[in-house]
Amino acid sequence: MRVRYADTDQMGIVHHARYFEWFEMGRTELMRALGLSYKDFERAGYRLPVAEANAVYIRPALYDDFLTVRTTLAERPRPKLRLDYEVLRDGELLATGYTTHVFVNLDGRPVKPPRLFLDLIQ
Amino acid sequence: MRVRYADTDQMGIVHHARYFEWFEMGRTELMRALGLSYKDFERAGYRLPVAEANAVYIRPALYDDFLTVRTTLAERPRPKLRLDYEVLRDGELLATGYTTHVFVNLDGRPVKPPRLFLDLIQ
Amino acid sequence: MRVRYADTDQMGIVHHARYFEWFEMGRTELMRALGLSYKDFERAGYRLPVAEANAVYIRPALYDDFLTVRTTLAERPRPKLRLDYEVLRDGELLATGYTTHVFVNLDGRPVKPPRLFLDLIQ
Amino acid sequence: MRVRYADTDQMGIVHHARYFEWFEMGRTELMRALGLSYKDFERAGYRLPVAEANAVYIRPALYDDFLTVRTTLAERPRPKLRLDYEVLRDGELLATGYTTHVFVNLDGRPVKPPRLFLDLIQ
């Protein structure tokens, strides 16, 4: 993933809030790799709003850097889902982070982790 | 409106895409001043997606600038709605722009300018 | 502070990454209230990049909500600066968060908390 | 390029301001393909701030869409540089746009199109 000019701020580095968009891309691609796109997951009537988000910044990412986001599903949801992230540039660790999520239905009501999802991570 | 750090890019000025968020704030506040918040307009079953957006950048806006967005409803919708914007810092013109909009219902289908809206601008 | 349309996502709520821009506005206004704008702090040769950022989301913020960000300087920097945030809508707590910061000079090198800053929080 | 969740708004479509970030990606990749990355262009002492930006929205882009941005250098800069963009989804045209740019040096002063750049587009 390539850093966009719009991602930078006047410090000359990527604005810290942008990492959370990258984490989001990371979990989107993880779900796709597991066999269920988040888009289809929403169509099935579920959503995964963020309950907590955290990032630790180690070295700044810069404009035009080519980065990798490594995403790990930390554990079985119980009941919150936790994902961990690493942002890397040529193997160098730039940032780590995590997000936790609750499963909700389309009305925004918390639900148990759906079978659809549990089957993925079996 | 105060320029946020996140609005800047590594050129040390506000990123050009952010002006479109300011234009959006301008039209939101114009509608509120006319007596119908855009939120209530959406609740009434309408939306105003952007058909065209344009900005001309004259002088850069900078971090922590205190800016004014002056919004003008250019004319009666026929059928597109057109709004014009000026971004000012202490009376100095930094940018101008316009957006045009179509009226759609919640299914995204174009509709005629609703009475609700025409009454506002009478 | 008014929630912008651009702050929302297709879940119909404010995107979680936007809260970090609000936290940033909170610390900007805190510094201004203490008597030194962050802009002037940068001009004096210092910067406060984010070392860690965290947010806990309790209830979603919605389009057009009028919100307050309450920012607290948690303690003396030793050496990291920590700020705590609460996002409120009519007194109702929507989110909490914190950021930690290192003091750096314009070359990005960590420096001790400058006198300029320590004097503010005395 | 994949549409991110953060790109959407509560209308359920991509927020119109995001297209300008895509246009920016388009011109970044065009310059890279021509043999000079914009990063190196900045390092050589030049910048290309946006003088005008325009987008016409034909059909909405949606979350998780895989899009192509086709960027064309419209003509020789005289003196403004103009780029044209098309955003496509599987060959279907979603939006068109253009940006114009002035060449400035690191002090922000307008300069003539540098040889470095003219050589590229020869």
Side-chain angles (χ1 to χ4, degrees):
Chain A
M1 184 198 67
R2 183 74 71 177
V3 175
R4 308 175 181 181
Y5 208 89
D7 295 335
T8 62
D9 66 24
Q10 72 178 32
M11 239 185 266
I13 60 176
V14 172
H15 190 267
H16 64 284
R18 289 284 182 156
Y19 289 72
F20 295 97
E21 298 190 19
W22 299 344
F23 294 170
E24 193 166 62
M25 292 166 72
R27 57 184 181 269
T28 294
E29 294 311 319
L30 177 64
M31 283 188 69
R32 197 190 315 282
L34 288 172
L36 177 72
S37 75
Y38 184 72
K39 187 169 70 170
D40 289 336
F41 186 68
E42 277 205 343
R43 279 191 186 147
Y46 301 104
R47 281 172 168 167
L48 276 170
V50 179
E52 184 178 354
N54 190 83
V56 173
Y57 306 91
I58 299 160
R59 289 172 170 281
L62 304 176
Y63 169 61
D64 214 40
D65 278 353
F66 195 77
L67 305 178
T68 304
V69 181
R70 193 182 288 156
T71 310
T72 319
L73 192 62
E75 57 207 71
R76 280 182 68 85
R78 34 162 203 165
K80 273 186 195 153
L81 182 69
R82 177 180 162 131
L83 292 145
D84 286 273
Y85 310 92
E86 291 180 320
V87 178
L88 301 139
R89 179 179 53 208
D90 299 330
E92 183 191 25
L93 188 64
L94 302 187
T96 62
Y98 65 82
T99 53
T100 67
H101 302 260
V102 286
F103 292 89
V104 302
N105 61 21
L106 291 186
D107 302 329
R109 240 170 256 275
V111 294
K112 275 198 274 189
R115 176 107 329 259
L116 182 71
F117 188 87
L118 294 175
D119 286 348
L120 284 187
I121 63 176
Q122 213 62 15
Chain B
M1 185 197 66
R2 183 75 70 176
V3 174
R4 308 173 181 181
Y5 209 89
D7 296 335
T8 63
D9 65 24
Q10 72 178 33
M11 238 185 267
I13 61 176
V14 172
H15 190 267
H16 63 284
R18 288 284 182 156
Y19 290 71
F20 295 97
E21 297 190 19
W22 300 344
F23 294 170
E24 194 166 61
M25 292 166 70
R27 57 185 181 269
T28 295
E29 295 310 320
L30 177 65
M31 283 187 69
R32 197 190 315 282
L34 288 172
L36 177 71
S37 75
Y38 184 72
K39 187 168 72 169
D40 289 336
F41 186 68
E42 277 205 344
R43 279 193 186 146
Y46 301 104
R47 282 173 165 165
L48 276 171
V50 179
E52 184 178 355
N54 190 84
V56 173
Y57 306 92
I58 300 161
R59 290 171 171 282
L62 304 175
Y63 168 61
D64 214 40
D65 278 354
F66 195 78
L67 305 178
T68 304
V69 181
R70 192 182 289 156
T71 310
T72 320
L73 192 63
E75 58 207 70
R76 280 182 68 84
R78 38 164 198 162
K80 273 188 197 152
L81 181 68
R82 178 181 162 130
L83 292 146
D84 287 274
Y85 310 93
E86 291 180 320
V87 178
L88 301 138
R89 179 179 54 207
D90 300 329
E92 183 192 24
L93 187 63
L94 302 187
T96 62
Y98 66 82
T99 53
T100 67
H101 302 260
V102 285
F103 292 89
V104 301
N105 61 21
L106 291 186
D107 302 329
R109 239 171 257 275
V111 294
K112 274 198 274 188
R115 175 108 330 260
L116 181 72
F117 187 87
L118 294 176
D119 285 349
L120 284 187
I121 63 176
Q122 212 63 16
Chain C
M1 186 197 66
R2 182 74 70 177
V3 174
R4 307 174 182 181
Y5 209 88
D7 295 335
T8 62
D9 66 24
Q10 71 179 33
M11 238 184 271
I13 61 176
V14 172
H15 190 267
H16 63 285
R18 289 284 182 156
Y19 289 72
F20 295 97
E21 298 190 19
W22 300 344
F23 294 169
E24 193 166 62
M25 292 166 71
R27 58 184 180 270
T28 295
E29 295 311 320
L30 177 65
M31 284 189 68
R32 196 190 316 282
L34 288 171
L36 177 71
S37 75
Y38 184 74
K39 186 168 73 170
D40 290 336
F41 186 68
E42 277 206 343
R43 280 192 185 146
Y46 300 105
R47 281 172 167 167
L48 276 171
V50 179
E52 184 178 354
N54 190 85
V56 173
Y57 306 91
I58 299 161
R59 291 173 170 281
L62 304 176
Y63 168 60
D64 214 42
D65 278 353
F66 195 76
L67 305 178
T68 304
V69 181
R70 192 182 289 156
T71 310
T72 320
L73 192 61
E75 56 206 73
R76 279 182 68 84
R78 38 169 197 157
K80 274 187 196 152
L81 183 69
R82 178 180 162 131
L83 291 145
D84 287 275
Y85 310 93
E86 291 180 319
V87 178
L88 301 138
R89 179 179 54 208
D90 299 329
E92 183 193 26
L93 188 63
L94 302 188
T96 62
Y98 65 82
T99 54
T100 67
H101 302 260
V102 285
F103 292 89
V104 303
N105 61 21
L106 291 187
D107 302 329
R109 239 171 257 275
V111 294
K112 274 197 275 188
R115 175 104 335 256
L116 182 71
F117 187 87
L118 294 175
D119 285 349
L120 284 187
I121 63 175
Q122 213 63 15
Chain D
M1 185 197 66
R2 183 74 71 176
V3 175
R4 308 174 182 181
Y5 209 89
D7 295 336
T8 62
D9 65 24
Q10 71 178 32
M11 239 184 267
I13 61 175
V14 172
H15 189 267
H16 64 284
R18 289 284 181 156
Y19 289 72
F20 295 97
E21 297 189 21
W22 300 344
F23 294 169
E24 193 166 61
M25 292 166 72
R27 58 185 180 269
T28 295
E29 295 311 319
L30 177 65
M31 283 188 69
R32 196 189 317 281
L34 288 171
L36 177 71
S37 75
Y38 184 72
K39 186 167 73 169
D40 289 336
F41 186 68
E42 277 206 342
R43 279 192 185 146
Y46 300 105
R47 282 171 166 168
L48 276 170
V50 179
E52 185 178 354
N54 190 84
V56 173
Y57 306 92
I58 300 161
R59 289 172 171 281
L62 304 176
Y63 168 60
D64 215 41
D65 278 353
F66 195 78
L67 305 178
T68 304
V69 181
R70 193 181 288 156
T71 311
T72 319
L73 192 62
E75 55 206 74
R76 281 182 68 84
R78 36 164 199 163
K80 274 187 197 153
L81 182 68
R82 177 180 162 131
L83 291 146
D84 287 274
Y85 310 93
E86 291 180 319
V87 178
L88 301 138
R89 179 179 55 207
D90 300 329
E92 183 193 24
L93 188 63
L94 303 188
T96 63
Y98 65 82
T99 53
T100 67
H101 302 260
V102 286
F103 292 89
V104 303
N105 61 22
L106 290 187
D107 302 329
R109 237 171 258 275
V111 295
K112 275 198 274 189
R115 176 110 326 263
L116 182 71
F117 188 87
L118 294 175
D119 285 349
L120 284 187
I121 62 175
Q122 213 63 15

